[in-house]
Amino acid sequence: MSAAEVRVLVVEDDPVAADAHALYVGRVPGFAVAGTVHSLAGATRALERTRVDLLLLDLGLPDGHGLRFARGLRAAGHPVDVIAVTSARDLAMVRESVSLGVVQYVLKPFAFPTLRERLLRYAEFRAAAGEAAGQDDVDRAVAALRAPGPAALPKGLSAPTLDRVAALLRAAAGGLTAAGAAGAAGISRITARRYLEHLVDTGRADRTPRYGQVGRPELRYRWLAGQAGPGARRP
């Protein structure tokens, strides 16, 4: 690790997710993993032992809520920045995060491009130094932290249909085949498969082959945000 690199502490109770997040961080130029811990107690010890510039902080941890931890850091005057990582979609929690100075709020599950974009924007904001010449300079510095607009969908895909297919997949505890998604969404099997494959490509779903008696195996798609459906989300 060089002194110029942004040192990131990954705080995530799920070991598989923690390893994935650390791998993502390590792939972004200018960032290095300072450590991986699975609790707030572990985060406290890590912050005492080593220099950390940025926390990639899960909010639902076994020994407390990440926002309460962030509030304590602010009260103690700790300079570390925070990117909140959570499955919670409660906008009141988002507002509280902003009030605590959380620089980004990333919803699980996310693919590498999503985190890379947030980290690069944070790096741009962090690199701003010196005195602003005027309002434009201030606006540019603040705008660096704004989330990007929605990524353009592949040609031929539409956002409303993607939302419909994603909702169907979230609600299907056992997953869906392209044929099943097509019938439920009122679209062709080929079209349904394109949307399902896009969800796989963006890290929101996975696929496994289902073998029958004859012919090629059929793929079954499963939502990665939780098999209990959209109502069962962990903060």
Side-chain angles (χ1 to χ4, degrees), residues 63-77:
D63 54 348
H65 197 281
L67 286 186
R68 286 193 288 274
F69 184 70
R71 186 181 296 109
L73 291 174
R74 292 292 169 262

PDB file of all heavy atoms in Angstrom, residues 63-77:
ATOM      1  N   ASP A  63     -23.534  -6.730  16.376  1.00  0.00           N
ATOM      2  CA  ASP A  63     -23.389  -6.020  17.648  1.00  0.00           C
ATOM      3  C   ASP A  63     -23.832  -4.560  17.578  1.00  0.00           C
ATOM      4  O   ASP A  63     -23.436  -3.742  18.408  1.00  0.00           O
ATOM      5  CB  ASP A  63     -21.950  -6.114  18.156  1.00  0.00           C
ATOM      6  CG  ASP A  63     -20.920  -5.637  17.131  1.00  0.00           C
ATOM      7  OD1 ASP A  63     -21.294  -5.444  15.957  1.00  0.00           O
ATOM      8  OD2 ASP A  63     -19.743  -5.467  17.501  1.00  0.00           O
ATOM      9  N   GLY A  64     -24.674  -4.237  16.613  1.00  0.00           N
ATOM     10  CA  GLY A  64     -25.208  -2.885  16.570  1.00  0.00           C
ATOM     11  C   GLY A  64     -25.468  -2.400  15.156  1.00  0.00           C
ATOM     12  O   GLY A  64     -25.174  -3.088  14.176  1.00  0.00           O
ATOM     13  N   HIS A  65     -26.059  -1.223  15.072  1.00  0.00           N
ATOM     14  CA  HIS A  65     -26.405  -0.639  13.775  1.00  0.00           C
ATOM     15  C   HIS A  65     -25.282   0.268  13.298  1.00  0.00           C
ATOM     16  O   HIS A  65     -24.723   1.051  14.070  1.00  0.00           O
ATOM     17  CB  HIS A  65     -27.702   0.154  13.883  1.00  0.00           C
ATOM     18  CG  HIS A  65     -28.340   0.437  12.563  1.00  0.00           C
ATOM     19  ND1 HIS A  65     -27.905   1.441  11.726  1.00  0.00           N
ATOM     20  CD2 HIS A  65     -29.364  -0.178  11.918  1.00  0.00           C
ATOM     21  CE1 HIS A  65     -28.641   1.452  10.626  1.00  0.00           C
ATOM     22  NE2 HIS A  65     -29.535   0.478  10.718  1.00  0.00           N
ATOM     23  N   GLY A  66     -24.958   0.169  12.021  1.00  0.00           N
ATOM     24  CA  GLY A  66     -23.849   0.935  11.461  1.00  0.00           C
ATOM     25  C   GLY A  66     -24.014   2.436  11.597  1.00  0.00           C
ATOM     26  O   GLY A  66     -23.017   3.152  11.786  1.00  0.00           O
ATOM     27  N   LEU A  67     -25.248   2.942  11.510  1.00  0.00           N
ATOM     28  CA  LEU A  67     -25.435   4.390  11.618  1.00  0.00           C
ATOM     29  C   LEU A  67     -25.147   4.894  13.026  1.00  0.00           C
ATOM     30  O   LEU A  67     -24.625   5.998  13.209  1.00  0.00           O
ATOM     31  CB  LEU A  67     -26.854   4.779  11.187  1.00  0.00           C
ATOM     32  CG  LEU A  67     -27.139   4.730   9.689  1.00  0.00           C
ATOM     33  CD1 LEU A  67     -28.525   5.282   9.398  1.00  0.00           C
ATOM     34  CD2 LEU A  67     -26.092   5.494   8.894  1.00  0.00           C
ATOM     35  N   ARG A  68     -25.483   4.088  14.032  1.00  0.00           N
ATOM     36  CA  ARG A  68     -25.134   4.486  15.401  1.00  0.00           C
ATOM     37  C   ARG A  68     -23.611   4.519  15.575  1.00  0.00           C
ATOM     38  O   ARG A  68     -23.068   5.382  16.267  1.00  0.00           O
ATOM     39  CB  ARG A  68     -25.783   3.538  16.407  1.00  0.00           C
ATOM     40  CG  ARG A  68     -27.280   3.762  16.568  1.00  0.00           C
ATOM     41  CD  ARG A  68     -27.835   3.050  17.772  1.00  0.00           C
ATOM     42  NE  ARG A  68     -27.887   1.602  17.572  1.00  0.00           N
ATOM     43  CZ  ARG A  68     -28.896   0.966  16.995  1.00  0.00           C
ATOM     44  NH1 ARG A  68     -29.939   1.651  16.541  1.00  0.00           N
ATOM     45  NH2 ARG A  68     -28.877  -0.340  16.865  1.00  0.00           N
ATOM     46  N   PHE A  69     -22.952   3.575  14.936  1.00  0.00           N
ATOM     47  CA  PHE A  69     -21.494   3.554  14.971  1.00  0.00           C
ATOM     48  C   PHE A  69     -20.926   4.798  14.287  1.00  0.00           C
ATOM     49  O   PHE A  69     -20.012   5.448  14.797  1.00  0.00           O
ATOM     50  CB  PHE A  69     -20.993   2.293  14.284  1.00  0.00           C
ATOM     51  CG  PHE A  69     -19.508   2.101  14.335  1.00  0.00           C
ATOM     52  CD1 PHE A  69     -18.870   1.793  15.528  1.00  0.00           C
ATOM     53  CD2 PHE A  69     -18.734   2.216  13.180  1.00  0.00           C
ATOM     54  CE1 PHE A  69     -17.491   1.618  15.577  1.00  0.00           C
ATOM     55  CE2 PHE A  69     -17.361   2.036  13.223  1.00  0.00           C
ATOM     56  CZ  PHE A  69     -16.735   1.740  14.431  1.00  0.00           C
ATOM     57  N   ALA A  70     -21.488   5.153  13.128  1.00  0.00           N
ATOM     58  CA  ALA A  70     -21.036   6.349  12.405  1.00  0.00           C
ATOM     59  C   ALA A  70     -21.275   7.606  13.240  1.00  0.00           C
ATOM     60  O   ALA A  70     -20.443   8.522  13.268  1.00  0.00           O
ATOM     61  CB  ALA A  70     -21.756   6.451  11.063  1.00  0.00           C
ATOM     62  N   ARG A  71     -22.416   7.642  13.955  1.00  0.00           N
ATOM     63  CA  ARG A  71     -22.698   8.806  14.796  1.00  0.00           C
ATOM     64  C   ARG A  71     -21.660   8.927  15.910  1.00  0.00           C
ATOM     65  O   ARG A  71     -21.194  10.029  16.230  1.00  0.00           O
ATOM     66  CB  ARG A  71     -24.102   8.678  15.395  1.00  0.00           C
ATOM     67  CG  ARG A  71     -24.541   9.924  16.185  1.00  0.00           C
ATOM     68  CD  ARG A  71     -25.920   9.772  16.785  1.00  0.00           C
ATOM     69  NE  ARG A  71     -26.932   9.643  15.754  1.00  0.00           N
ATOM     70  CZ  ARG A  71     -27.599   8.521  15.488  1.00  0.00           C
ATOM     71  NH1 ARG A  71     -27.353   7.420  16.176  1.00  0.00           N
ATOM     72  NH2 ARG A  71     -28.515   8.480  14.552  1.00  0.00           N
ATOM     73  N   GLY A  72     -21.266   7.800  16.473  1.00  0.00           N
ATOM     74  CA  GLY A  72     -20.246   7.817  17.513  1.00  0.00           C
ATOM     75  C   GLY A  72     -18.898   8.300  16.991  1.00  0.00           C
ATOM     76  O   GLY A  72     -18.182   9.039  17.678  1.00  0.00           O
ATOM     77  N   LEU A  73     -18.560   7.882  15.779  1.00  0.00           N
ATOM     78  CA  LEU A  73     -17.306   8.350  15.185  1.00  0.00           C
ATOM     79  C   LEU A  73     -17.316   9.856  14.998  1.00  0.00           C
ATOM     80  O   LEU A  73     -16.320  10.544  15.266  1.00  0.00           O
ATOM     81  CB  LEU A  73     -17.086   7.654  13.834  1.00  0.00           C
ATOM     82  CG  LEU A  73     -16.767   6.155  13.869  1.00  0.00           C
ATOM     83  CD1 LEU A  73     -16.729   5.596  12.451  1.00  0.00           C
ATOM     84  CD2 LEU A  73     -15.441   5.897  14.581  1.00  0.00           C
ATOM     85  N   ARG A  74     -18.450  10.378  14.529  1.00  0.00           N
ATOM     86  CA  ARG A  74     -18.540  11.820  14.313  1.00  0.00           C
ATOM     87  C   ARG A  74     -18.447  12.568  15.646  1.00  0.00           C
ATOM     88  O   ARG A  74     -17.793  13.603  15.753  1.00  0.00           O
ATOM     89  CB  ARG A  74     -19.862  12.161  13.604  1.00  0.00           C
ATOM     90  CG  ARG A  74     -19.935  11.661  12.176  1.00  0.00           C
ATOM     91  CD  ARG A  74     -18.969  12.404  11.272  1.00  0.00           C
ATOM     92  NE  ARG A  74     -18.871  11.755   9.971  1.00  0.00           N
ATOM     93  CZ  ARG A  74     -17.903  10.922   9.623  1.00  0.00           C
ATOM     94  NH1 ARG A  74     -16.956  10.624  10.490  1.00  0.00           N
ATOM     95  NH2 ARG A  74     -17.867  10.382   8.422  1.00  0.00           N
ATOM     96  N   ALA A  75     -19.122  12.034  16.672  1.00  0.00           N
ATOM     97  CA  ALA A  75     -19.097  12.693  17.974  1.00  0.00           C
ATOM     98  C   ALA A  75     -17.691  12.715  18.562  1.00  0.00           C
ATOM     99  O   ALA A  75     -17.312  13.657  19.268  1.00  0.00           O
ATOM    100  CB  ALA A  75     -20.049  11.980  18.937  1.00  0.00           C
ATOM    101  N   ALA A  76     -16.907  11.671  18.235  1.00  0.00           N
ATOM    102  CA  ALA A  76     -15.528  11.598  18.739  1.00  0.00           C
ATOM    103  C   ALA A  76     -14.556  12.372  17.867  1.00  0.00           C
ATOM    104  O   ALA A  76     -13.369  12.442  18.177  1.00  0.00           O
ATOM    105  CB  ALA A  76     -15.094  10.135  18.824  1.00  0.00           C
ATOM    106  N   GLY A  77     -15.041  12.949  16.769  1.00  0.00           N
ATOM    107  CA  GLY A  77     -14.183  13.726  15.882  1.00  0.00           C
ATOM    108  C   GLY A  77     -13.306  12.877  14.991  1.00  0.00           C
ATOM    109  O   GLY A  77     -12.298  13.372  14.465  1.00  0.00           O
TER     110      GLY A  77
END
